[in-house]
Amino acid sequence: MSDYMDYCTDCKKQTEVVDDHVSGDTICTNCGLVLDHHFVDQTCEWRTFADSEKDDHDPNRVGNVSNPLLSHGNLSTTIVAKPGQKLADEFNLKNHDLLTNPDKVLTEGFESISRMAERLSIGKSSKIRADEIYKNLLDKKSCKGKNVKSILAACLFVACKENKMPRTAKEICSVAQGVSRKEINRAADFIKKQTDIDVIASAECLNGRGLVRRFCSNLGMKNQDMKAVQEALENSKEVDIRRSPCSILAAIIFIIAQLSVLEIPLRDIAMASQVAEQTIKKSYKDIRPHASRIVPQWYAMEHDLDKLCKP
C-alpha cells in the first residue's frame, strides 16, 4: 500500500488516501470512502526472496525489459548441469534448454553486441540496429559455419555506419576478443551479400567526416578548429593522397593543431585517432606540400602556413 494526499468528495477536503494494490482501490483513510477502484499499477514489479523483510532489503525486478526481436519477449528457462553429471544427462539438459529457450543463440548474440557497444560508448540506436542485422542473418540461417564473433562485431560495425556514427574497424577490433580487422571487414562484406544493406554506400560516412567531431572533441578542439578540419578534409579530396581516411584525417588534425592556439602533442592525436605516430608523420609528409590548397583561407593565410613544421 502507498499513502498520499487527495481530495475526498465525502469529507469535502484534502485527506490522506491509500492505494490498496491487492484490490486496486483508492480509499480515504478519514471516512473509508472508496474514491477509485480497479486502478492499474504503472510502476515496476519488484520481488525479494530474502528470509526476512527489512527496510533496507534489496528488491529484484522480475524479468528483464521486453525485447520485441525475441519470439517470447524476454521469457526463457535455462537449465545448468550439475558438477559431475553424466555427459548424456548434460547433453539432454542442453537439448531441453534449446527447446525451452529457442532464442538462446539470439540472446547470447545480443548480450555480446551490448558488451561491445557499452565499452565503445556506442548509442542505443546503433546497438538495436546491430541486433536487427544479426537477427536477420539468423532468420536466413546465414551464420552456419561462420565465425560468430566476427559476425557480431561486423553487425555493430555496419550499424554504426548506417546511423552515421561510425567506429573504425580497429576500434571494433579492440573490444571484439580474438577478431582481427581483416575478419571484421570480410564479415561486413558477407553481411552486404546476405542482406539489403549497402555497406559501400554506408562506408561513405567513414571517409573521415563521421569521425571529425568525435576525434576533435576528444582532443578538446574548439568549434572553429573543428570546422577548419572538416573543410580541409573536404578539400583534400581534390588532391591525390593515397592514404587511408583515418590517416589523412589525423594528419589534417595535426596541421590545424599547429595553426591553432592549442598545443596538442602528436601522441595525443595518435591516441585519439588510433593511428600510429609514424603513420601520421608519413601522411603529413604527403599532405604538407598541398597545405595551401587544403587549409581554408578564412582560417589561415598562406604566410601562416610557414608555422608548420617540416615533414
Side-chain angles (χ1 to χ4, degrees), residues 189-220:
D189 292 337
F190 169 75
I191 290 173
K192 177 196 169 185
K193 295 176 182 178
Q194 296 296 323
T195 63
D196 297 330
I197 301 172
D198 192 347
V199 179
I200 295 179
S202 299
E204 291 178 359
C205 66
L206 195 60
N207 62 1
R209 289 178 296 175
L211 304 172
V212 170
R213 182 168 296 276
R214 185 153 54 89
F215 288 173
C216 292
S217 297
N218 291 340
L219 291 168

Side-chain angles (χ1 to χ4, degrees), residues 54-81:
K54 297 181 181 180
D55 293 335
D56 58 347
H57 70 275
D58 183 19
N60 296 307
R61 185 173 180 177
V62 180
N64 296 320
V65 179
S66 179
N67 189 338
L69 296 178
L70 300 176
S71 58
H72 293 85
N74 62 348
L75 301 177
S76 62
T77 302
T78 303
I79 300 177
V80 181

Side-chain angles (χ1 to χ4, degrees), residues 150-218:
S150 62
I151 292 293
L152 292 171
C155 287
L156 189 60
F157 180 58
V158 172
C160 289
K161 287 182 180 180
E162 274 198 312
N163 288 340
K164 296 184 179 180
M165 293 182 287
R167 293 296 189 273
T168 62
K170 189 173 183 179
E171 288 177 296
I172 300 293
C173 180
S174 66
V175 296
Q177 296 180 351
V179 180
S180 66
R181 281 183 291 176
K182 187 176 181 180
E183 289 174 319
I184 293 176
N185 289 322
R186 188 184 301 149
D189 292 337
F190 169 75
I191 290 173
K192 177 196 169 185
K193 295 176 182 178
Q194 296 296 323
T195 63
D196 297 330
I197 301 172
D198 192 347
V199 179
I200 295 179
S202 299
E204 291 178 359
C205 66
L206 195 60
N207 62 1
R209 289 178 296 175
L211 304 172
V212 170
R213 182 168 296 276
R214 185 153 54 89
F215 288 173
C216 292
S217 297
N218 291 340

Side-chain angles (χ1 to χ4, degrees), residues 93-113:
L93 287 176
K94 288 181 179 179
N95 285 341
H96 186 275
D97 188 24
L98 290 174
L99 291 174
T100 56
N101 183 12
D103 293 324
K104 185 174 186 294
V105 175
L106 199 59
T107 303
E108 289 177 350
F110 289 170
E111 289 175 354
S112 180
I113 290 173

